[in-house]
Amino acid sequence: MTMPAGMLFAAPEWPRLRLFRALRRRGYVRVGGRRRLPRGLGSALTLALFASVGLYGAFAGGHVDRFRAENGTLSDAVARAFGFGIKQVVISGLAELRPAEILEAAGISPNRSVLFIDPAEVRRNLEAVPMIREASVRKLYPNELAITITEREPFALWQRNGEVFVVAADGTVIDFLNDARYARLPLVVGDRANERSADYLELLDAAGSLRERVKAGSLIAGRRWNLILDNGLEVRLPESNPTAAVARLAELEESERILERDILVIDMRQSDRVVMRLGAEAAAARAEAAKKKPVASAKEADI
């Protein structure tokens, strides 16, 4: 077949040629069996190398730690820049604890932001404090937190093995005694005395006017109490119906002023008598008087 004069032949564009051109336009082609990388990749890798070196230097030089100490995390710093910094914390339910103690336990500081605080985590931090029985935390956008706590009420002091603890009414140990504000609490001594502190308070109530003179209650063998008075006198109470014995002691003090005598121990474990052990001077005087009178001397007298 002959072509008319002057007509040009247009060869068809083969599929491979089209693919080659498409890949070359994208900057990724094969030439002579070698693969060419995308344009600009070398510059990007160079920038990444410098960035990595800069980050390593920041961590190694402590710059990141200083930034966090002064400004918090980067996310918190950015959130504060957009108005989500903590400007107010409303705390309710305080009785013995102080606001500063709550903020410290919760991990809340001016470097934190409302946006990135986890209320569940703050609640767990607060409830880890022995003094706090329950806590709730709410975020009030854009810049407030609301914290509500329920404290364990300090009920008594418990001395055991030379250490003194603050305990709740159910005997739960709240904390070591390291604060003078708890010194006013009743003091119980001995194994498991913390679990019986409510019984001791009943004895104090029965003491009436003598209550202020009772400084501690010592639980003996987990069964009965000894009262320690402010002058060092020891009152031994019976295992059964000790409140009646304490009430009787208050009556004797009112009528006989027995606590003003030189007495070391008052034993009330027997229901029909009160036995007193005299102090050294009183015992010596008693012995001297016994020499002049033919009666058996004793350091313990019944009244």
Side-chain angles (χ1 to χ4, degrees):
M1 178 179 178
T2 60
M3 290 187 297
M7 179 176 289
L8 298 176
F9 174 75
E13 186 177 11
W14 301 98
R16 285 188 178 181
L17 182 59
R18 289 198 301 270
L19 177 61
F20 176 82
R21 289 176 176 173
L23 292 175
R24 193 171 71 176
R25 284 196 301 269
R26 297 179 184 177
Y28 186 76
V29 298
R30 288 180 180 274
V31 178
R34 295 184 179 179
R35 180 175 294 181
R36 288 185 178 177
L37 298 176
R39 293 189 184 95
L41 181 60
S43 299
L45 291 175
T46 302
L47 291 175
L49 175 62
F50 281 115
S52 300
V53 172
L55 287 175
Y56 173 78
F59 278 101
H63 299 294
V64 173
D65 292 337
R66 283 198 296 272
F67 178 85
R68 287 179 176 173
E70 296 173 2
N71 304 284
T73 64
L74 180 60
S75 56
D76 280 327
V78 173
R80 292 199 310 272
F82 281 91
F84 291 99
I86 300 175
K87 293 190 176 179
Q88 185 174 13
V89 181
V90 179
I91 304 174
S92 57
L94 290 179
E96 299 290 345
L97 291 172
R98 303 183 180 98
E101 293 172 321
I102 298 298
L103 295 178
E104 181 179 358
I108 297 173
S109 71
N111 290 339
R112 302 293 301 274
S113 69
V114 173
L115 195 62
F116 291 105
I117 274 186
D118 182 0
E121 179 184 0
V122 175
R123 177 180 56 79
R124 288 193 296 269
N125 291 341
L126 290 172
E127 291 181 352
V129 177
M131 189 74 176
I132 298 176
R133 181 167 60 85
E134 187 177 0
S136 65
V137 181
R138 291 184 298 130
K139 298 198 288 189
L140 305 175
Y141 288 103
N143 49 27
E144 292 186 20
L145 288 176
I147 297 176
T148 302
I149 66 168
T150 302
E151 294 185 9
R152 287 188 174 94
E153 182 180 358
F155 189 74
L157 300 178
W158 175 39
Q159 180 177 318
R160 182 175 180 270
N161 297 330
E163 295 181 319
V164 181
F165 306 90
V166 181
V167 298
D170 60 357
T172 300
V173 174
I174 295 176
D175 201 354
F176 285 101
L177 177 62
N178 51 20
D179 197 315
R181 62 185 145 167
Y182 301 130
R184 57 180 172 77
L185 296 174
L187 174 64
V188 294
V189 182
D191 289 339
R192 301 181 63 183
N194 58 315
E195 301 173 6
R196 299 275 303 276
S197 55
D199 297 339
Y200 173 63
L201 260 68
E202 290 182 5
L203 298 179
L204 293 181
D205 291 340
S209 59
L210 288 181
R211 180 185 180 114
E212 296 301 321
R213 300 199 60 179
V214 180
K215 295 305 177 183
S218 179
L219 186 64
I220 307 301
R223 296 184 295 106
R224 65 173 193 84
W225 293 93
N226 285 349
L227 301 183
I228 311 300
L229 274 60
D230 56 358
N231 59 356
L233 191 151
E234 179 183 282
V235 180
R236 298 174 180 175
L237 300 178
E239 182 176 354
S240 61
N241 201 11
T243 54
V246 172
R248 185 183 180 191
L249 176 68
E251 292 174 358
L252 286 173
E253 169 59 18
E254 185 176 354
S255 60
E256 305 291 338
R257 297 294 178 187
I258 60 174
L259 300 185
E260 307 303 323
R261 304 179 187 179
D262 185 11
I263 299 173
L264 296 179
V265 177
I266 298 178
D267 192 338
M268 306 185 72
R269 289 177 293 178
Q270 301 180 57
S271 59
D272 60 341
R273 67 185 65 185
V274 175
V275 179
M276 296 183 293
R277 180 178 298 172
L278 303 177
E281 292 184 6
R286 177 98 178 221
E288 186 66 25
K291 292 179 182 179
K292 300 177 181 180
K293 188 176 182 180
V295 294
S297 75
K299 292 185 179 181
E300 295 186 350
D302 295 347
I303 62 173

